[in-house]
Amino acid sequence: AQKVTQAQTEISVVEKEDVTLDCVYETRDTTYYLFWYKQPPSGELVFLIRRNSFDEQNEISGRYSWNFQKSTSSFNFTITASQVVDSAVYFCALSEVNYGGATNKLIFGTGTLLAVQP
Amino acid sequence: NAGVTQTPKFRVLKTGQSMTLLCAQDMNHEYMYWYRQDPGMGLRLIHYSVGEGTTAKGEVPDGYNVSRLKKQNFLLGLESAAPSQTSVYFCASSTAQGNRYEQYFGPGTRLTVT
């Protein structure tokens, strides 16, 4: 069965600190996608990144970076020099890849609440 | 281009009442989904649709029905609301072509059942 685990329920940091959000997944599929979404206090879900299982290159986008390691089934997210506006719930999600009748169903982790204090 | 919209944004129901949540997307996406979000549980898939006229059950379908009569709309119905259905409901859509694995989410509907 597919599963996404975000063991960190809440993290509190002071502005300008670096913070890493952990994500561990389980799947029997050899082809899959991993995602990170941000949910700010306003409630909407904001897409941050998609990574497919064949691409283990780390990615950096401004202050955000992602570390994908298939060997440990992890897809961790780091925010460098955190800011108050980064305060949100962050979800990691896994999508199976089904060809012909694909549904793109997302399996979400339970989320990590990040609080960045000024 | 509004993306994914949901109606209503908030609703309070009494136990046993019925209601329909409407999701509309203007991106011509084939796939549409309904999720519910509960504290500490993340988002869980209720029902989904891979095209007009087709629906399928997700992880937590009990107590809900759905319909996809038009490609752009996906309706979620509660026939007899229960307090356990108090939740935030999100609709999402995605394309079957190209960048098919990114789901676009609506703003959510906060439902309280008393």
Side-chain angles (χ1 to χ4, degrees), chain B residues 26-98:
Chain B
D26 61 3
M27 296 174 281
N28 202 34
H29 285 170
E30 291 79 8
Y31 302 151
M32 296 187 74
Y33 316 81
W34 276 107
Y35 294 89
R36 61 177 288 173
Q37 182 181 17
D38 302 297
M41 307 268 311
L43 277 77
R44 293 179 293 168
L45 184 65
I46 304 172
H47 285 281
Y48 64 95
S49 168
V50 299
E52 184 178 326
T54 69
T55 62
K57 294 180 180 179
E59 182 185 354
V60 288
D62 294 341
Y64 305 94
N65 56 74
V66 288
S67 64
R68 183 114 180 257
L69 299 179
K70 293 182 179 180
K71 186 177 183 180
Q72 64 268 33
N73 296 338
F74 195 29
L75 278 62
L76 178 71
L78 287 72
E79 290 186 347
S80 179
S84 60
Q85 294 178 304
T86 293
S87 188
V88 180
Y89 292 86
F90 285 97
C91 176
S93 70
S94 65
T95 180
Q97 311 296 329

Side-chain angles (χ1 to χ4, degrees), chain A residues 52-91:
Chain A
N52 76 53
S53 53
F54 294 113
D55 183 1
E56 289 194 69
Q57 278 191 327
N58 291 334
E59 180 152 342
I60 298 175
S61 176
R63 296 184 297 107
Y64 296 170
S65 62
W66 291 268
N67 184 310
F68 176 31
Q69 292 196 341
K70 263 178 120 169
S71 60
T72 56
S73 297
S74 65
F75 186 43
N76 296 338
F77 173 30
T78 297
I79 300 175
T80 302
S82 60
Q83 299 176 2
V84 173
V85 293
D86 295 326
S87 297
V89 179
Y90 290 87
F91 290 99

Side-chain angles (χ1 to χ4, degrees), chain A residues 33 35 37 39 42-45 47 50 89 91 95-111, chain B residues 31 33 35 37 40-45 48 50 57-59 88 90 94-96 99-107:
Chain A
Y33 281 82
F35 301 79
Y37 283 86
Q39 186 176 42
S42 51
E44 74 272 22
L45 281 157
F47 167 80
R50 181 190 79 239
V89 179
F91 290 99
S95 176
E96 58 189 12
V97 175
N98 294 318
Y99 297 103
T103 60
N104 309 342
K105 288 186 286 185
L106 285 177
I107 308 298
F108 281 84
T110 52
Chain B
Y31 302 151
Y33 316 81
Y35 294 89
Q37 182 181 17
M41 307 268 311
L43 277 77
R44 293 179 293 168
L45 184 65
Y48 64 95
V50 299
K57 294 180 180 179
E59 182 185 354
V88 180
F90 285 97
S94 65
T95 180
N99 189 9
R100 60 195 292 179
Y101 298 105
E102 178 178 335
Q103 293 188 12
Y104 296 81
F105 283 84

Side-chain angles (χ1 to χ4, degrees), chain A residues 6-13 17-24 36 63-68 74-82 90 112-114 116:
Chain A
Q6 294 180 256
Q8 303 153 308
T9 305
E10 294 185 32
I11 300 176
S12 182
V13 300
E17 284 185 13
D18 298 347
V19 58
T20 295
L21 309 181
D22 297 332
C23 173
V24 175
W36 277 94
R63 296 184 297 107
Y64 296 170
S65 62
W66 291 268
N67 184 310
F68 176 31
S74 65
F75 186 43
N76 296 338
F77 173 30
T78 297
I79 300 175
T80 302
S82 60
Y90 290 87
T112 297
L113 173 61
L114 174 64
V116 181

